Amino acid sequence: MTSAPGQPVALVTGGGRGIGREIVLALAREGCNIAVAARSSDQVTATAETARGLGVQAMALALDVTDAEMITRVVAAVGTRLGPVDVLVNNAGIAESAPFAKTDPAFWDRHLRVNATGPYLLTRAVLPAMLERRWGRVINIASLAGLYGAPYVAAYTASKHALVGLTKALATEVSGKGVTVNAICPGFAATDIVWNSARNIAARTGKSFEEAVEAMAHLNPGRRLIDPAEVAAVAAKLIHDDATNGETIVLDGTQ
Ligand code: NDP
């Protein structure tokens, strides 16, 4: 294994808001140069700007993780401007809920494509160069839904189980080659995903928005929402950790 690059280059998908934004800023504080990629160009631009304020190089990129050609272009653009990707954070994700009978194949497919196939395509695009340099980190933002089942989220749960499976299998394949592949599995976290679900629950059940948020927080074993900064802190720690590989790191609010 070679030692970590002085200033690793990190590519964070879905880095414009929520957990991804916190990860971008945490990795910038660790001294990484950062590529921030998602569909909303205003959000990735703003996050990259904030990261630059922390003294690192940062670029904003438009990316839909379901688009294989776009992934190829983005990875090439990062290589030209910042250098090869040392740290890939597969954070971009969607989470919609519906009773199973009300879902259709497009609903299923959307979750699998964004939450599982996207990370596969991105990892496939950056892994060979990591292995060549004998240093790399792949950090997958999965979910407690990658480990357990819950009602009304079959497609999301299947997609996150797929991401955990990818993590575990690939970790065994790269073991001893300087690259680690790990998954972080948070419970409900304080981001748009929860705010949007709470709005839907409130509209459907007559609960207030605050009651709906509280109910979701209560489903976490620690009875509280996860702070995106907690997820980011784990991601930042993994950069310096050569030994942890193939793990599913749970953040369920009991910590
Ligand atoms: P947000 O909705 O705030 O962020 C999701 C991010 O993913 C956005 O930046 C969004 O950007 C991006 N994204 C979505 N679809 C695509 C796409 N097709 N291509 C590129 N980027 C995309 O939610 P969170 O911050 O909460 O979610 C981040 C990750 O954390 C997700 O993988 C989620 O499943 C996971 N997670 C979240 C939990 C929660 O309760 N909040 C709990 C457990 C895990 P844009 O729309 O601009 O493309």
Side-chain angles (χ1 to χ4, degrees), residues 12 14-26 43 46-47 50 91 232:
V12 182
R17 64 172 187 265
I19 291 170
R21 182 176 187 278
E22 287 301 321
I23 292 173
V24 166
L25 301 183
Q43 295 183 350
T47 304
T50 308
N91 165 78

Side-chain angles (χ1 to χ4, degrees), residues 3 5 22 38 43 52-53 59 61 80 94 107 111 128 136 138 160 162 171-172 176 180 195 201 215 218 223 236 239:
S3 57
E22 287 301 321
Q43 295 183 350
R52 275 194 288 275
M59 65 190 293
L61 293 141
T80 305
I94 54 167
F107 181 96
H111 283 82
V138 179
K160 292 298 186 178
T172 66
T180 64
W195 315 143
I201 292 168
H218 213 72
R223 310 287 180 235
I239 307 285

